Amino acid sequence: MNINSSKIQQTFGKAALFVLMALALVCMPKPADAQTRIRDLASVAGVRSNPVYGYGIVIGLDGTGDQTTQTPFTTQSIVAMLQQSGINLPPGANLQLKNVASVMVTGNLPAFAQPGQAIDVTVSSIGNAKSLRGGMLLMTPLKGADGQVYALAQGQLIVGGAGASAAGSKTVINHLSAGRIPNGAMVERAVATPFNLGESLQLELHSTDFSNAIRVAEAINNTMGPNVAQALDGRIVRVRAPSNPNDRVAFLAKVQELSISKAMGTAKVIVNARTGSVVMNQAVMLESCAVAHGNLTVKITATPVVSQPAPFSQGETVVAQQADIQISESGGELIEIKGAAQLSDVVKALNALGATPSDLISILQAMQTAGSLKAELEVI
């Protein structure tokens, strides 16, 4: 019996190659799940900004202020301000203030804001001022929801727009009735926060998800020790923290840097009915279905028709409209859409329909009713 040694070597060589490839696939590390820091998933309860607002006066306008006949509160504000400065106007004085405007000043106190800290404010006209460009905001107390003054605002406005008018023509670029004052307000009172109160802190997830709440608690317990964190529900995670303020800050900084494997969120398709926009997240899935979609077009053409009376009939010429109505429907081809579990595949399947965004809204609603669209459809 003759045996070809070269063929045996080739056979064993191929077998060894397949074995090595199989071992490489087995030993190949699995792709790591997407890691998300806790600071990107949750915030600390009570650590937030606080809105403040106040009524103020802007002066120094170039004739573009409020018309005092239509905004009497502007005149009343100026009279009260002058009286506080020791200037008493005669009764019935007719003030023509073209360089003054009444405004509302708004801002946000950041978390842990302290007296002496500067914050940005936005100044918006509440009267009929044409422009706030070049104006100066007089000292305006900014109050919180409790009616207490937390900041004082004053400074030169920055308005991003421009405008000009002459001989009845007017051109405006951007918005002239609002502006900003960078670092225009000084904090006068700090807002109390519960950060250093109690034995524990609460982490609030940005969106309700029981899986993420459990994963956050497990990550903290695995790093900081057992029973340090406890998931109370799908949104709140209670964390035991050191009582010393310095240790508590360091503890929370370390907790926020911990990473977890973020759970897949709720599948959602957001539809804006006004603009026709359609947005879907990565959790959206499709099951196989068949879709046929056609367009219905209605065309109406109006043609003027002139009817002339007979000679010497003393009739009148009549102009009428003759309407021509045409209805056409384009054929909708039945298209099979295969099931897709990834967002890129879902987009490819929907693009195969060739539908406009407005048509896509109707298609998605029908697909959800049929059970093919595995997502929550929300119309805003």
Side-chain angles (χ1 to χ4, degrees):
M1 182 177 181
N2 295 328
I3 300 176
N4 193 332
S5 60
S6 61
K7 290 184 178 181
I8 294 177
Q9 292 177 357
Q10 292 178 0
T11 303
F12 277 99
K14 293 181 180 179
L17 180 60
F18 287 137
V19 171
L20 291 176
M21 291 176 62
L23 290 175
L25 292 175
V26 172
C27 298
M28 183 180 297
K30 296 181 179 180
D33 295 335
Q35 297 292 311
T36 304
R37 296 181 302 175
I38 292 180
R39 69 164 61 248
D40 299 325
L41 286 177
S43 59
V44 182
V47 180
R48 63 179 181 86
S49 61
N50 293 275
V52 291
Y53 75 101
Y55 170 81
I57 294 292
V58 171
I59 62 174
L61 302 176
D62 188 15
T64 58
D66 292 339
Q67 298 179 11
T68 54
T69 57
Q70 300 178 5
T71 55
F73 50 86
T74 302
T75 304
Q76 295 174 5
S77 302
I78 294 298
V79 171
M81 182 187 65
L82 293 177
Q83 289 178 351
Q84 291 178 358
S85 301
I87 302 175
N88 295 322
L89 297 177
N94 186 15
L95 300 180
Q96 297 295 330
L97 305 174
K98 297 182 179 180
N99 301 332
V100 180
S102 296
V103 295
M104 292 299 296
V105 185
T106 57
N108 281 289
L109 292 178
F112 309 113
Q114 298 299 316
Q117 180 178 345
I119 62 173
D120 298 344
V121 292
T122 300
V123 181
S124 305
S125 173
I126 60 175
N128 54 6
K130 298 179 181 179
S131 173
L132 298 181
R133 191 178 183 89
M136 166 73 74
L137 175 69
L138 295 180
M139 185 173 60
T140 303
L142 303 182
K143 300 179 181 180
D146 56 358
Q148 301 294 327
V149 176
Y150 286 91
L152 293 176
Q154 182 171 287
Q156 190 75 30
L157 269 73
I158 297 178
V159 179
S165 60
S169 300
K170 181 180 179 181
T171 301
V172 177
I173 300 176
N174 295 334
H175 199 59
L176 300 176
S177 299
R180 288 183 63 84
I181 307 178
N183 297 329
M186 195 70 65
V187 178
E188 298 293 333
R189 178 182 299 180
V191 179
T193 60
F195 179 73
N196 289 324
L197 302 177
E199 298 180 354
S200 62
L201 296 172
Q202 287 188 354
L203 298 180
E204 298 180 350
L205 271 66
H206 300 321
S207 59
T208 301
D209 194 304
F210 291 96
S211 299
N212 285 337
I214 290 297
R215 295 184 183 189
V216 168
E218 291 178 349
I220 296 175
N221 290 332
N222 293 337
T223 304
M224 302 300 182
N227 301 324
V228 173
Q230 178 185 5
L232 301 183
D233 51 34
R235 200 176 187 92
I236 303 297
V237 178
R238 180 185 296 168
V239 182
R240 287 192 295 108
S243 58
N244 184 279
N246 187 44
D247 296 339
R248 178 168 290 201
V249 172
F251 171 83
L252 188 58
K254 189 174 181 179
V255 166
Q256 288 185 326
E257 293 300 323
L258 296 177
S259 298
I260 68 169
S261 298
K262 183 180 178 181
M264 186 71 71
T266 304
K268 274 192 175 185
V269 177
I270 308 299
V271 175
N272 191 325
R274 296 181 298 274
T275 62
S277 303
V278 178
V279 179
M280 58 188 70
N281 62 10
Q282 193 172 359
V284 175
M285 298 176 60
L286 281 180
E287 287 187 356
S288 299
C289 62
V291 177
H293 184 74
N295 293 322
L296 183 66
T297 303
V298 179
K299 184 179 179 180
I300 302 176
T301 304
T303 304
V305 178
V306 180
S307 176
Q308 293 285 357
F312 307 105
S313 64
Q314 298 182 353
E316 296 182 355
T317 302
V318 178
V319 179
Q321 297 288 338
Q322 182 179 0
D324 182 19
I325 302 177
Q326 297 179 357
I327 300 178
S328 60
E329 183 179 6
S330 60
E333 182 182 357
L334 188 63
I335 300 177
E336 179 185 1
I337 299 180
K338 297 182 179 180
Q342 295 184 357
L343 181 60
S344 58
D345 298 330
V346 173
V347 173
K348 292 179 182 178
L350 294 177
N351 282 336
L353 296 174
T356 63
S358 57
D359 294 335
L360 188 59
I361 295 175
S362 302
I363 295 174
L364 290 174
Q365 291 175 343
M367 293 174 68
Q368 186 194 39
T369 304
S372 175
L373 179 64
K374 301 301 181 182
E376 178 184 347
L377 192 61
E378 180 178 347
V379 180
I380 60 176

